Amino acid sequence: MSYVEVPGAKVPIRMWTDPASVEDVALRQLQNVATLPWIKGLAVMPDVHYGKGATVGSVIAMQDAVCPAAVGVDIGCGMSAVKTSLTANDLPGDLSRLRSKIEEAIPVGRGMHDSAVEPGRFHGMATAGWDEFWGRFDGVAEAVKFRQGRATLQMGTLGGGNHFVEVCVDTSDSVWLMLHSGSRNIGKELAEYHIGVAQKLPHNQGLVDRDLAVFVADTPQMAAYRNDLFWAQEYAKHNRTIMMALLKDVIRKEFKKAKPTFEPEISAHHNYVAEERYDGMDLLVTRKGAIRAGSGEYGIIPGSMGTGSYIVKGLGNEKAFNSASHGAGRRMSRNAAKRRFSTKDLEEQTQGVECRKDSGVVDEIPGAYKPIEQVIEQQRDLVEVVAKLKQVVCVKG
């Protein structure tokens, strides 16, 4: 489908979904965002749903301003995927050992490594700039500097919630590795600190929603936020790179005879800010639950833990600020999912997938998410499908 335009206070709201299908609280959030004095455009992806401050699945383009709550607290959260030389025939009938080995290599939930994972231990991984990256931590907000030790040990860890590590098979029987994670606790700490700073600034006192507080250009608060934001986005990218290296190590050891090789990694943030130019204006584009889908750029759009995922290539649609959805999108809250579904439902909906099937992940059940095929169909003018994947192993926090 193409987009539907809904009137907004300052800019029209372009929606790649039926406005009637969007929950009322999310629509109110979008209308609130469209009142911001600095806004130059608002695009809504088909996986849109209610979020803290700004809706998940929204792309907000502003001039000389950025809203930290519209980035979200998991700064730099995103996806990575790698196609391997393995095929479905190389996989054992019982995948429980493989899942256990992945869980041993990559700490999940609140877990962390016993010692810092150095990139130099991985064959072929670039180490240039690693020390400089950590050196820049000295310049982040004083309020979170005491977290450096934890941030070091959480580098290369999964976290919880909707984060996952998967082994997938595509429609041609090729095996893929895929993972979803972000900037871990350090990104959350930085985000919450800066949201608190923004909410106290005088220019934000008259906003319709205090969670939409912004930093404006040429102020020390904006400079400080940009510094910490871009550092946390880099942390998230490094985190996924380290996890993928750990995952590849597991695959090499478990499939020694097959001597697996790996194609170049596809990686994409979906909670982040980018400096981009549209209609002759330099804008700060915030994608909260959306990926960049510039012409020819690869992206990843996952479904839920029992459905499929898609590797896509962007079509460069500037009406959507070169963006696409970041996944299927929730159709009910975590609490609603826990009330609605049981572990038996989870077992049925994840049949054929080696994964947790206990009460701790019922809130991630496929039934809590929108149908991924429908979400893909609604953005045919934003991306083209390159590959469709189906997970056979899913590791959750």
Side-chain angles (χ1 to χ4, degrees):
M1 66 174 287
S2 185
Y3 64 90
V4 176
E5 202 163 273
V6 176
K10 297 283 186 182
V11 294
I13 304 168
R14 299 173 188 150
M15 305 184 72
W16 272 262
T17 190
D18 179 2
S21 70
V22 181
E23 57 202 319
D24 290 342
V25 285
L27 281 172
R28 280 197 296 275
Q29 284 187 319
L30 294 169
Q31 293 289 355
N32 288 343
V33 169
T35 68
L36 295 174
W38 311 271
I39 194 159
K40 296 298 178 183
L42 176 57
V44 181
M45 301 297 103
D47 58 342
V48 61
H49 60 278
Y50 174 79
K52 175 75 169 174
T55 50
V56 179
S58 61
V59 183
I60 303 167
M62 290 198 283
Q63 190 169 39
D64 297 330
V66 66
C67 172
V71 183
V73 294
D74 195 358
I75 298 171
C77 185
M79 299 280 304
S80 294
V82 169
K83 186 178 182 180
T84 79
S85 60
L86 299 174
T87 68
N89 288 334
D90 294 312
L91 298 175
D94 183 356
L95 292 165
S96 58
R97 173 187 163 91
L98 179 57
R99 177 186 152 204
S100 295
K101 291 297 181 181
I102 293 170
E103 290 171 341
E104 286 175 16
I106 301 173
V108 303
R110 295 186 178 182
M112 59 186 82
H113 292 283
D114 294 331
S115 59
V117 180
E118 296 295 334
R121 66 176 267 198
F122 302 109
H123 176 70
M125 179 175 285
T127 58
W130 189 251
D131 291 338
E132 186 269 340
F133 162 73
W134 282 111
R136 281 168 38 217
F137 190 82
D138 291 338
V140 305
E142 288 288 340
V144 303
K145 280 189 179 176
F146 71 101
R147 295 291 192 187
Q148 181 166 10
R150 186 175 183 182
T152 303
L153 297 179
Q154 283 193 323
M155 177 67 78
T157 67
L158 184 64
N162 61 354
H163 294 163
F164 61 79
V165 177
E166 289 183 345
V167 178
C168 306
V169 177
D170 68 17
T171 53
S172 298
D173 279 348
S174 291
V175 173
W176 289 68
L177 310 179
M178 180 182 291
L179 56 86
H180 172 210
S181 191
S183 52
R184 303 298 286 109
N185 183 256
I186 193 63
K188 176 178 178 290
E189 295 273 350
L190 287 167
E192 290 177 344
Y193 167 75
H194 285 289
I195 290 169
V197 171
Q199 288 176 342
K200 295 181 179 124
L201 295 174
H203 63 260
N204 289 319
Q205 300 315 304
L207 299 177
V208 294
D209 182 349
R210 68 191 301 268
D211 284 328
L212 294 179
V214 306
F215 293 116
V216 294
D218 302 320
T219 63
Q221 295 90 351
M222 171 69 112
Y225 177 62
R226 284 171 62 105
N227 177 77
D228 294 0
L229 168 76
F230 291 132
W231 184 88
Q233 288 179 182
E234 197 171 341
Y235 180 101
K237 187 173 182 179
H238 285 314
N239 184 42
R240 291 193 296 274
T241 300
I242 293 289
M243 275 194 290
M244 188 60 80
L246 291 166
L247 182 56
K248 287 178 181 176
D249 268 5
V250 171
I251 297 301
R252 288 189 186 99
K253 290 172 184 174
E254 292 300 300
F255 298 93
K256 278 183 182 177
K257 289 183 179 179
K259 297 180 179 177
T261 58
F262 307 93
E263 293 192 2
E265 189 172 321
I266 300 168
S267 185
H269 289 321
H270 55 225
N271 279 11
Y272 76 113
V273 178
E275 299 168 321
E276 298 177 5
R277 190 172 178 82
Y278 296 95
D279 297 327
M281 294 182 290
D282 292 320
L283 302 176
L284 287 166
V285 178
T286 301
R287 295 182 176 92
K288 182 178 183 178
I291 60 171
R292 181 173 163 85
S295 181
E297 295 177 355
Y298 284 93
I300 307 161
I301 304 178
S304 61
M305 63 187 287
T307 57
S309 297
Y310 289 84
I311 306 297
V312 298
K313 191 183 288 187
L315 297 177
N317 190 326
E318 293 202 356
K319 293 293 186 182
F321 298 101
N322 291 324
S323 304
S325 80
H326 83 311
R330 297 192 72 92
R331 63 179 178 184
M332 65 179 71
S333 70
R334 295 186 180 278
N335 286 335
K338 289 176 183 177
R339 292 192 298 268
R340 168 69 177 81
F341 297 108
S342 66
T343 53
K344 183 179 179 182
D345 295 321
L346 180 63
E347 289 172 7
E348 290 174 353
Q349 294 184 29
T350 59
Q351 193 170 0
V353 181
E354 173 59 44
C355 64
R356 286 179 59 186
K357 300 178 192 283
D358 57 82
S359 59
V361 291
V362 166
D363 57 345
E364 281 292 297
I365 192 169
Y369 285 84
K370 298 176 183 178
I372 184 62
E373 290 79 11
Q374 174 186 313
V375 169
I376 293 294
E377 188 60 36
Q378 289 176 314
Q379 54 189 322
R380 290 292 181 178
D381 60 337
L382 304 182
V383 294
E384 62 176 314
V385 172
V386 174
K388 181 179 180 180
L389 281 52
K390 177 68 174 70
Q391 68 271 71
V392 290
V393 176
C394 178
V395 172
K396 301 288 289 189

